[in-house]
Short mmCIF file of all heavy atoms in Angstrom, two decimals:
data_model
loop_
_atom_site.label_atom_id
_atom_site.label_comp_id
_atom_site.label_asym_id
_atom_site.label_seq_id
_atom_site.Cartn_x
_atom_site.Cartn_y
_atom_site.Cartn_z
N GLY V 153 12.16 -26.63 9.73
CA GLY V 153 10.78 -27.13 9.85
C GLY V 153 9.71 -26.14 9.38
O GLY V 153 8.54 -26.35 9.52
N ARG V 154 10.16 -25.02 8.81
CA ARG V 154 9.20 -24.00 8.35
C ARG V 154 8.73 -24.33 6.92
O ARG V 154 9.54 -24.76 6.11
CB ARG V 154 9.79 -22.61 8.43
CG ARG V 154 10.12 -22.15 9.78
CD ARG V 154 10.58 -20.71 9.78
NE ARG V 154 11.50 -20.54 10.90
CZ ARG V 154 12.73 -20.16 10.82
NH1 ARG V 154 13.30 -19.95 9.64
NH2 ARG V 154 13.49 -20.07 11.93
N ARG V 155 7.47 -24.02 6.64
CA ARG V 155 6.93 -24.26 5.30
C ARG V 155 7.64 -23.33 4.26
O ARG V 155 7.95 -22.21 4.56
CB ARG V 155 5.44 -23.95 5.24
CG ARG V 155 4.65 -25.00 6.09
CD ARG V 155 3.20 -24.68 6.11
NE ARG V 155 2.63 -24.83 4.78
CZ ARG V 155 1.33 -24.84 4.53
NH1 ARG V 155 0.50 -24.67 5.50
NH2 ARG V 155 0.91 -24.95 3.29
N LEU V 156 7.91 -23.93 3.10
CA LEU V 156 8.57 -23.18 2.07
C LEU V 156 7.58 -22.38 1.19
O LEU V 156 7.99 -21.47 0.50
CB LEU V 156 9.32 -24.16 1.12
CG LEU V 156 10.56 -24.77 1.75
CD1 LEU V 156 11.15 -25.85 0.84
CD2 LEU V 156 11.63 -23.74 2.06
N VAL V 157 6.35 -22.74 1.25
CA VAL V 157 5.32 -22.02 0.43
C VAL V 157 4.21 -21.58 1.36
O VAL V 157 3.53 -22.44 1.99
CB VAL V 157 4.72 -22.97 -0.69
CG1 VAL V 157 3.78 -22.21 -1.56
CG2 VAL V 157 5.85 -23.56 -1.51
N VAL V 158 4.02 -20.29 1.45
CA VAL V 158 3.03 -19.69 2.39
C VAL V 158 2.27 -18.57 1.74
O VAL V 158 2.73 -18.01 0.75
CB VAL V 158 3.68 -19.19 3.72
CG1 VAL V 158 4.32 -20.32 4.47
CG2 VAL V 158 4.71 -18.13 3.39
N ARG V 159 1.08 -18.20 2.32
CA ARG V 159 0.32 -17.05 1.85
C ARG V 159 1.09 -15.81 2.33
O ARG V 159 1.74 -15.81 3.40
CB ARG V 159 -1.02 -17.02 2.49
CG ARG V 159 -2.10 -17.85 1.87
CD ARG V 159 -2.56 -17.31 0.58
NE ARG V 159 -3.10 -15.94 0.66
CZ ARG V 159 -4.31 -15.60 0.83
NH1 ARG V 159 -5.24 -16.56 0.99
NH2 ARG V 159 -4.72 -14.36 0.87
N ASN V 160 0.98 -14.70 1.58
CA ASN V 160 1.65 -13.47 1.96
C ASN V 160 0.80 -12.28 1.55
O ASN V 160 1.22 -11.45 0.73
CB ASN V 160 3.03 -13.44 1.28
CG ASN V 160 3.86 -12.30 1.80
OD1 ASN V 160 3.58 -11.73 2.81
ND2 ASN V 160 4.88 -11.94 1.00
N GLY V 161 -0.40 -12.21 2.05
CA GLY V 161 -1.24 -11.03 1.78
C GLY V 161 -1.84 -11.06 0.35
O GLY V 161 -2.19 -12.12 -0.15
N TYR V 162 -1.92 -9.85 -0.21
CA TYR V 162 -2.58 -9.70 -1.52
C TYR V 162 -1.71 -8.81 -2.43
O TYR V 162 -1.00 -7.95 -1.96
CB TYR V 162 -3.94 -9.08 -1.39
CG TYR V 162 -4.93 -10.02 -0.75
CD1 TYR V 162 -5.12 -10.01 0.60
CD2 TYR V 162 -5.76 -10.82 -1.53
CE1 TYR V 162 -5.99 -10.89 1.22
CE2 TYR V 162 -6.64 -11.67 -0.93
CZ TYR V 162 -6.80 -11.72 0.43
OH TYR V 162 -7.65 -12.60 1.03
N HIS V 163 -1.77 -9.12 -3.73
CA HIS V 163 -1.15 -8.21 -4.70
C HIS V 163 -1.99 -6.94 -4.78
O HIS V 163 -3.14 -6.85 -4.30
CB HIS V 163 -1.16 -8.87 -6.06
CG HIS V 163 -0.17 -9.98 -6.18
ND1 HIS V 163 1.18 -9.78 -6.34
CD2 HIS V 163 -0.35 -11.32 -6.23
CE1 HIS V 163 1.79 -10.96 -6.39
NE2 HIS V 163 0.88 -11.89 -6.34
N ALA V 164 -1.48 -5.92 -5.38
CA ALA V 164 -2.20 -4.67 -5.59
C ALA V 164 -3.40 -4.94 -6.42
O ALA V 164 -3.42 -5.78 -7.35
CB ALA V 164 -1.28 -3.63 -6.25
N GLU V 165 -4.46 -4.19 -6.20
CA GLU V 165 -5.70 -4.35 -6.99
C GLU V 165 -5.43 -4.05 -8.42
O GLU V 165 -4.69 -3.12 -8.70
CB GLU V 165 -6.77 -3.45 -6.40
CG GLU V 165 -8.14 -3.68 -6.97
CD GLU V 165 -9.17 -2.84 -6.26
OE1 GLU V 165 -9.44 -1.71 -6.69
OE2 GLU V 165 -9.76 -3.38 -5.28
N ARG V 166 -6.06 -4.81 -9.33
CA ARG V 166 -5.90 -4.56 -10.73
C ARG V 166 -7.22 -4.87 -11.40
O ARG V 166 -8.07 -5.61 -10.93
CB ARG V 166 -4.77 -5.33 -11.36
CG ARG V 166 -5.03 -6.85 -11.40
CD ARG V 166 -3.85 -7.57 -11.99
NE ARG V 166 -4.25 -8.71 -12.78
CZ ARG V 166 -3.47 -9.60 -13.27
NH1 ARG V 166 -2.18 -9.47 -13.07
NH2 ARG V 166 -3.91 -10.61 -13.95
N ALA V 167 -7.37 -4.28 -12.57
CA ALA V 167 -8.64 -4.49 -13.33
C ALA V 167 -8.41 -5.69 -14.26
O ALA V 167 -7.39 -5.84 -14.94
CB ALA V 167 -8.94 -3.25 -14.17
N VAL V 168 -9.42 -6.57 -14.22
CA VAL V 168 -9.41 -7.74 -15.07
C VAL V 168 -10.58 -7.60 -16.06
O VAL V 168 -11.70 -7.33 -15.63
CB VAL V 168 -9.58 -9.05 -14.23
CG1 VAL V 168 -9.67 -10.27 -15.11
CG2 VAL V 168 -8.44 -9.19 -13.28
N ALA V 169 -10.32 -7.78 -17.38
CA ALA V 169 -11.36 -7.70 -18.34
C ALA V 169 -12.24 -8.95 -18.31
O ALA V 169 -11.72 -10.06 -18.38
CB ALA V 169 -10.77 -7.49 -19.70
N THR V 170 -13.56 -8.75 -18.19
CA THR V 170 -14.52 -9.84 -18.21
C THR V 170 -15.60 -9.46 -19.21
O THR V 170 -15.69 -8.32 -19.68
CB THR V 170 -15.12 -10.08 -16.85
OG1 THR V 170 -15.98 -8.98 -16.53
CG2 THR V 170 -14.09 -10.29 -15.79
N ALA V 171 -16.50 -10.41 -19.49
CA ALA V 171 -17.62 -10.14 -20.35
C ALA V 171 -18.56 -9.09 -19.69
O ALA V 171 -19.30 -8.40 -20.41
CB ALA V 171 -18.37 -11.41 -20.62
N ALA V 172 -18.54 -8.98 -18.38
CA ALA V 172 -19.33 -8.02 -17.63
C ALA V 172 -18.65 -6.66 -17.61
O ALA V 172 -19.20 -5.76 -17.03
CB ALA V 172 -19.56 -8.50 -16.25
N GLY V 173 -17.50 -6.53 -18.20
CA GLY V 173 -16.73 -5.28 -18.14
C GLY V 173 -15.57 -5.44 -17.20
O GLY V 173 -15.34 -6.53 -16.62
N PRO V 174 -14.75 -4.43 -17.04
CA PRO V 174 -13.60 -4.48 -16.15
C PRO V 174 -14.03 -4.69 -14.73
O PRO V 174 -14.94 -4.06 -14.25
CB PRO V 174 -12.87 -3.20 -16.35
CG PRO V 174 -13.83 -2.31 -17.02
CD PRO V 174 -14.89 -3.10 -17.64
N VAL V 175 -13.31 -5.62 -14.04
CA VAL V 175 -13.66 -5.96 -12.63
C VAL V 175 -12.33 -5.77 -11.84
O VAL V 175 -11.32 -6.34 -12.20
CB VAL V 175 -14.13 -7.42 -12.54
CG1 VAL V 175 -14.33 -7.80 -11.08
CG2 VAL V 175 -15.41 -7.58 -13.28
N ALA V 176 -12.39 -5.05 -10.72
CA ALA V 176 -11.28 -4.82 -9.85
C ALA V 176 -11.08 -6.07 -8.96
O ALA V 176 -12.01 -6.48 -8.33
CB ALA V 176 -11.44 -3.59 -9.03
N VAL V 177 -9.82 -6.62 -8.98
CA VAL V 177 -9.55 -7.85 -8.19
C VAL V 177 -8.22 -7.65 -7.43
O VAL V 177 -7.27 -7.07 -7.95
CB VAL V 177 -9.42 -9.04 -9.16
CG1 VAL V 177 -8.97 -10.29 -8.40
CG2 VAL V 177 -10.70 -9.26 -9.89
N LYS V 178 -8.25 -8.13 -6.21
CA LYS V 178 -6.98 -8.25 -5.44
C LYS V 178 -6.65 -9.75 -5.31
O LYS V 178 -7.33 -10.48 -4.60
CB LYS V 178 -7.21 -7.63 -4.05
CG LYS V 178 -7.26 -6.16 -4.06
CD LYS V 178 -7.41 -5.61 -2.66
CE LYS V 178 -6.06 -5.38 -2.06
NZ LYS V 178 -6.08 -4.63 -0.80
N ALA V 179 -5.65 -10.18 -6.01
CA ALA V 179 -5.25 -11.59 -6.03
C ALA V 179 -4.41 -11.91 -4.82
O ALA V 179 -3.59 -11.11 -4.39
CB ALA V 179 -4.48 -11.92 -7.31
N PRO V 180 -4.62 -13.14 -4.20
CA PRO V 180 -3.78 -13.55 -3.09
C PRO V 180 -2.32 -13.64 -3.54
O PRO V 180 -2.03 -14.01 -4.66
CB PRO V 180 -4.33 -14.90 -2.76
CG PRO V 180 -5.65 -15.01 -3.39
CD PRO V 180 -5.64 -14.10 -4.58
N ARG V 181 -1.42 -13.32 -2.63
CA ARG V 181 0.00 -13.43 -2.90
C ARG V 181 0.55 -14.68 -2.26
O ARG V 181 0.17 -15.05 -1.12
CB ARG V 181 0.74 -12.19 -2.34
CG ARG V 181 2.21 -12.12 -2.72
CD ARG V 181 2.89 -10.94 -2.06
NE ARG V 181 2.04 -9.81 -2.00
CZ ARG V 181 2.48 -8.54 -2.26
NH1 ARG V 181 3.72 -8.35 -2.51
NH2 ARG V 181 1.70 -7.54 -2.22
N VAL V 182 1.49 -15.36 -2.93
CA VAL V 182 2.11 -16.53 -2.43
C VAL V 182 3.65 -16.32 -2.31
O VAL V 182 4.25 -15.83 -3.27
CB VAL V 182 1.86 -17.77 -3.31
CG1 VAL V 182 2.66 -18.99 -2.88
CG2 VAL V 182 0.37 -18.05 -3.39
N ASN V 183 4.21 -16.63 -1.19
CA ASN V 183 5.66 -16.55 -1.01
C ASN V 183 6.20 -17.94 -1.16
O ASN V 183 6.03 -18.79 -0.26
CB ASN V 183 6.02 -15.97 0.35
CG ASN V 183 7.47 -15.69 0.52
OD1 ASN V 183 8.26 -15.89 -0.40
ND2 ASN V 183 7.91 -15.26 1.66
N ASP V 184 6.82 -18.25 -2.30
CA ASP V 184 7.41 -19.58 -2.56
C ASP V 184 8.89 -19.49 -2.47
O ASP V 184 9.55 -18.87 -3.27
CB ASP V 184 6.94 -19.97 -3.97
CG ASP V 184 7.19 -21.44 -4.27
OD1 ASP V 184 8.06 -22.09 -3.58
OD2 ASP V 184 6.52 -21.96 -5.12
N LYS V 185 9.44 -20.10 -1.45
CA LYS V 185 10.90 -20.03 -1.16
C LYS V 185 11.67 -21.22 -1.80
O LYS V 185 12.88 -21.32 -1.59
CB LYS V 185 11.12 -20.00 0.32
CG LYS V 185 10.55 -18.80 1.03
CD LYS V 185 10.78 -18.83 2.50
CE LYS V 185 9.89 -17.78 3.16
NZ LYS V 185 9.05 -18.35 4.23
N ARG V 186 10.94 -22.06 -2.52
CA ARG V 186 11.66 -23.17 -3.17
C ARG V 186 12.54 -22.64 -4.27
O ARG V 186 12.28 -21.62 -4.89
CB ARG V 186 10.66 -24.19 -3.76
CG ARG V 186 9.74 -24.79 -2.71
CD ARG V 186 8.67 -25.66 -3.32
NE ARG V 186 7.84 -24.88 -4.22
CZ ARG V 186 7.33 -25.35 -5.35
NH1 ARG V 186 7.47 -26.57 -5.66
NH2 ARG V 186 6.58 -24.61 -6.11
#
Side-chain angles (χ1 to χ4, degrees):
R154 294 186 209 119
R155 292 177 66 170
L156 290 173
V157 184
V158 295
R159 279 287 304 267
N160 187 19
Y162 290 89
H163 289 285
E165 190 173 88
R166 70 182 213 188
V168 176
T170 69
V175 175
V177 175
K178 287 181 89 171
R181 186 184 321 222
V182 175
N183 187 3
D184 193 336
K185 298 177 193 125
R186 298 175 301 146

